[in-house]
């Protein structure tokens, strides 16, 4: 198959491409490198089945790109960590709206399938727990996180409209917190912050009292869920995440155990509109895709250790 992946140089995009190339597909990767890095794709430099274009998908793709038939589009382009989408607020709104529509047009033109990377942030600070796909969410439309949440919610509406009115074969993955190698050490997410702080012997920065929860999915599990959804006939959103829920304090403890670090904890203010709890109900993914995560938090952190260690030596 000929596959287009946007957000190719990002954490998830690059892992997805590795898996697609391994399966024998030809992959066209697009990224404007606003948050992704060439380093995430460096190992594919001599891979004949992979081609890269540095491009902002808010602009229509160049005419000579993907001239042949495309079979599938994975739309993963977007800043995704809270500090990055706050820094790139308008770009985040644009890529969710204009960029996503450009990709839907390409899918329609090529009669290709398309999977859009949506997010648990569609549920905002959820009033229902755990979150099933039927829950409509509790999003502040004008808060700082709204640039991400509303872009992703608008993108979901756009995807469903292309499915309903143009008959495009669309898929929507609501992705929950994911971690693993290539999670950018500097992008401010909890797992990358804690791993780097623990390895450096610095205090782990707990925002708020640390009793807020997240449910962490290891990247290999996530990619498996994404591919199963892409190959399914399911057009409504599907939660892809690990339902094992941890407080941020428990996450810090797990990082300390896995790294063997003696770092202390320090407490900092909770960012505005930071969701208090988050846990996917994955009944739909289990039933319709036969999927559930296999790797639990400490094992996944252990598998990520070498990557964060390598970043440590690169920085020092
Ligand atoms: N967090 C923290 N310390 C950090 C980074 C994040 O306590 O150094 C908290 C953050 O306030 C949130 C949770 O960890 O409650 C997950 O944050 P992240 O930025 O990874 O993603 P989110 O799930 O909020 O999109």
């Amino acid at each position: 198959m000929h596959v287009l992946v946007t957000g190719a140089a990002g954490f998830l995009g690059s892992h997805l491409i590795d898996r697609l190339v391994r399966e024998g597909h030809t992959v066209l990767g697009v990224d404007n490198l606003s948050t992704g890095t060439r380093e995430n794709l460096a190992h594919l430099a001599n891979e004949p089945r992979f081609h890269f274009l540095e491009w902002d998908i808010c602009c229509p793709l160049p005419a000579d790109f993907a001239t042949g038939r495309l079979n599938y589009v994975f739309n993963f382009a977007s800043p995704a960590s809270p500090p990055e989408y706050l820094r790139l607020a308008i770009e985040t709104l644009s890529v969710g709206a204009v960029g996503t529509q450009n990709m839907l047009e390409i899918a329609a033109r090529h009669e290709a399938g398309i999977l859009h990377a949506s997010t648990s942030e569609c549920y905002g600070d959820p009033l229902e727990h755990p979150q099933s796909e039927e829950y409509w969410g509790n999003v502040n439309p004008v808060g700082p996180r709204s640039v991400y949440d509303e872009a992703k919610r608008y993108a979901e509406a756009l995807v469903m409209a292309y499915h309903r009115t143009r008959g495009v074969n669309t898929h929507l993955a609501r992705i929950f917190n994911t971690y693993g190698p290539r999670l950018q050490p500097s992008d401010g997410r909890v797992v990358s912050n804690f791993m780097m702080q623990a390895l450096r012997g610095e205090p782990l920065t707990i925002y708020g009292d640390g009793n807020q929860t997240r449910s962490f999915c290891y990247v290999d599990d996530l990619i498996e869920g994404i591919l199963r959804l892409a190959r399914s006939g399911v057009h409504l959103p599907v939660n892809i995440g690990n339902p094992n829920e941890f407080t941020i304090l428990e996450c810090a403890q797990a990082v300390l155990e896995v790294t063997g670090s003696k770092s202390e904890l320090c407490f900092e203010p909770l960012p505005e509109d930071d969701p208090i709890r988050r846990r996917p109900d994955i009944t739909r993914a289990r039933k319709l895709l036969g999927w559930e995560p296999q790797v639990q938090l400490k094992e996944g952190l252990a598998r990520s250790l070498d990557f964060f260690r390598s970043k440590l030596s690169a920085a020092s």
Side-chain angles (χ1 to χ4, degrees), residues 80-83 85 119-121 145 148 177 187-194 197 204-208 210 212-214 216 248 268-271 274-276 278:
S81 84
Y85 62 66
T119 169
S120 55
E121 281 287 318
R145 294 174 91 105
Y148 186 67
N177 295 63
D187 79 2
R189 284 202 188 85
V190 66
V191 169
S192 44
N193 275 6
F194 285 179
Q197 289 161 344
L204 271 51
T205 50
I206 312 281
Y207 300 162
Q212 72 272 37
T213 69
R214 294 294 186 273
F216 300 100
I248 294 306
E268 294 188 3
L270 191 68
D274 197 284
I276 290 166
R278 187 185 284 157

Side-chain angles (χ1 to χ4, degrees), residues 1 3-5 17 20-21 25-29 49-52:
M1 294 226 299
V3 181
L4 174 63
V5 177
I17 289 168
L20 292 168
V21 167
H25 305 294
T26 300
V27 180
L28 308 167
R49 285 196 298 269
F50 176 65
H51 308 274
F52 180 71

Side-chain angles (χ1 to χ4, degrees), residues 287-302:
K287 269 201 195 130
L288 301 180
L289 311 178
W291 174 85
E292 66 182 353
Q294 307 294 322
V295 180
Q296 297 314 329
L297 184 60
K298 277 189 207 156
E299 188 192 341
L301 291 174

Side-chain angles (χ1 to χ4, degrees), residues 202-224:
E202 294 169 355
L204 271 51
T205 50
I206 312 281
Y207 300 162
D209 60 9
N211 287 318
Q212 72 272 37
T213 69
R214 294 294 186 273
S215 307
F216 300 100
C217 188
Y218 187 66
V219 63
D220 291 357
D221 280 336
L222 186 103
I223 298 300
E224 175 66 28

